[in-house]
Amino acid sequence: MLTKKSILTTLLTLLFISFVFTGCNNENSIVDPDNSNNEQEVLKKIAEEDELIQSFEANYNEDEAMGFVFGKISTEIFPVKVGQRMRPLDFDFNATIEGDSAFGTITRTFEGMLFIIASYDSNASFFDTNLVLIQKPFTTTITRNVIFKRIGNSDNPMENWKLVAVSLPEGGTLTDNISIKSLTVYLENGDSIYVDSPNDYYLSREPGWRHLIPEFGHSKDVRVKVEIASVYQEPDFVTLTWGAWRDKFMGIRAKHRAKKKFELISEEFDGTFYNRVYEGKWKVNPFPGVRHAVINAYPRVVIYDDEAPVESNSWGMPYIVK
């Protein structure tokens, strides 16, 4: 016969067991958001370590003033070298997971320094002894979108997702005075890539419904056309930087980084903006792998005036060297 004491003990025991199982169930209910956060971190890490995404920074950051001679124009300063050093401040990432796909946005803020090696003498050249170094600080924001595909259910979360497509990067100093309106890259087979909204234009690593990342043979010339809208009457300063990449073992390989100034082809004034077309080309380096060509557009006054603040707009084009 059960006593009151044994009945109370039994009830307390059952209550404890119920609490334990309820607690376990509650813990399980908390796991899902934790897993979601974990997957966000996994996707961010995959994007951060992706060599294609890293190759943009390797060419966006020129480290120093890079050499090419400019024409002599009667302005306040006469530049002979121009370059920018870009230091990344953060890597903001946000993704939406939908079934076996994930759609992410990368936002990178850079602290920049524009270097201009110039002379106040109209006969400026590389060999002048009176050259001055002008430094202009600025900040830029670059965005790009990425798409992932779930490829497994491993205990190692890094093995469960694959980055399958990237948009083109775009950004700058958030100015309305100058902007890149479109980019055309001419392919070896006679086709071309036309882009007028970089973050909406995706390039894929896998055959399918998206455009494949373009491939070029080493040492080939790639022709590029860009359209610029600028409020400034004088032609803009538009450059193309390419050739550097980030090696997972040796860091950024900058030895083969090159830079070229675009040539102005035409312009029309619409009452507000000067709409200009520029053309240029880059020579693909001989080392296979994924690369980026980076276009930087500045108003002319930024380069030829020693006090004008930096305004810029930048786009990137990923490609593969076969």
Side-chain angles (χ1 to χ4, degrees):
M1 181 176 179
L2 296 175
T3 64
K4 290 183 178 180
K5 182 177 181 180
S6 61
I7 292 173
L8 180 61
T9 301
T10 301
L11 289 174
L12 289 173
T13 301
L14 292 173
L15 182 62
F16 174 76
I17 292 172
S18 174
F19 174 80
V20 170
F21 277 98
T22 302
C24 290
N25 288 336
N26 287 341
E27 281 188 357
N28 289 338
S29 69
I30 296 174
V31 167
D32 286 340
D34 284 346
N35 281 344
S36 177
N37 290 335
N38 288 340
E39 287 196 310
Q40 286 274 346
E41 290 302 313
V42 168
L43 295 172
K44 178 180 179 181
K45 185 174 178 60
I46 293 172
E48 281 184 305
E49 296 179 353
D50 187 83
E51 59 180 345
L52 187 149
I53 291 174
Q54 290 180 344
S55 70
F56 170 80
E57 183 182 329
N59 294 283
Y60 189 50
N61 174 25
E62 298 170 347
D63 274 332
E64 59 185 359
M66 299 183 66
F68 46 83
V69 179
F70 307 100
K72 299 170 183 176
I73 303 175
S74 297
T75 54
E76 186 176 0
I77 61 174
F78 301 86
V80 295
K81 288 186 178 183
V82 175
Q84 61 185 29
R85 177 177 295 159
M86 309 303 296
R87 183 174 70 88
L89 298 180
D90 49 41
F91 189 103
D92 290 333
F93 177 84
N94 184 61
T96 301
I97 300 174
E98 300 179 4
D100 290 334
S101 298
F103 305 89
T105 297
I106 299 169
T107 303
R108 301 215 69 179
T109 303
F110 291 86
E111 182 181 74
M113 182 67 74
L114 180 65
F115 298 101
I116 305 171
I117 297 177
S119 172
Y120 290 96
D121 182 349
S122 61
N123 295 314
S125 75
F126 285 115
F127 308 103
D128 285 356
T129 58
N130 62 342
L131 294 179
V132 295
L133 173 61
I134 297 168
Q135 302 181 62
K136 298 183 177 184
F138 63 107
T139 301
T140 64
T141 300
I142 302 292
T143 59
R144 94 180 310 154
N145 295 319
V146 290
I147 298 176
F148 301 85
K149 179 176 70 175
R150 193 188 299 274
I151 57 174
N153 192 27
S154 168
D155 291 335
N156 180 358
M158 292 292 290
E159 298 177 354
N160 293 334
W161 291 94
K162 180 180 181 182
L163 197 159
V164 294
V166 297
S167 78
L168 272 60
E170 68 169 323
T173 59
L174 305 180
T175 177
D176 294 326
N177 291 333
I178 185 170
S179 61
I180 302 172
K181 306 306 292 184
S182 71
L183 163 68
T184 305
V185 178
Y186 297 91
L187 306 179
E188 292 182 63
N189 62 3
D191 293 338
S192 63
I193 295 174
Y194 176 81
V195 182
D196 59 7
S197 181
N199 283 177
D200 297 317
Y201 192 97
Y202 288 86
L203 293 170
S204 174
R205 284 187 162 124
E206 300 179 341
W209 57 279
R210 299 194 183 277
H211 308 280
L212 288 174
I213 299 172
E215 296 186 355
F216 300 107
H218 65 81
S219 301
K220 297 290 186 179
D221 287 334
V222 180
R223 188 163 67 92
V224 187
K225 181 175 72 175
V226 294
E227 295 179 312
I228 306 289
S230 173
V231 299
Y232 296 98
Q233 184 175 0
E234 294 180 309
D236 314 293
F237 185 83
V238 187
T239 64
L240 181 67
T241 307
W242 75 98
W245 72 95
R246 183 184 291 275
D247 187 280
K248 64 175 64 177
F249 302 109
M250 304 180 68
I252 291 180
R253 306 299 301 276
K255 179 180 178 181
H256 300 281
R257 185 189 291 128
K259 184 172 181 175
K260 180 173 274 189
K261 187 171 180 285
F262 279 89
E263 295 182 7
L264 176 64
I265 303 301
S266 65
E267 74 171 3
E268 292 182 1
F269 183 59
D270 64 11
T272 303
F273 290 97
Y274 292 89
N275 298 293
R276 301 184 174 108
V277 176
Y278 296 85
E279 287 193 359
K281 64 175 62 175
W282 81 80
K283 183 177 287 293
V284 178
N285 64 37
F287 302 98
V290 293
R291 303 286 184 267
H292 254 87
V294 177
I295 299 163
N296 293 307
Y298 303 93
R300 184 182 183 281
V301 66
V302 171
I303 306 301
Y304 287 84
D305 187 309
D306 59 355
E307 294 185 358
V310 175
E311 297 179 277
S312 69
N313 191 207
S314 302
W315 288 15
M317 169 56 71
Y319 63 97
I320 296 174
V321 182
K322 294 186 289 186

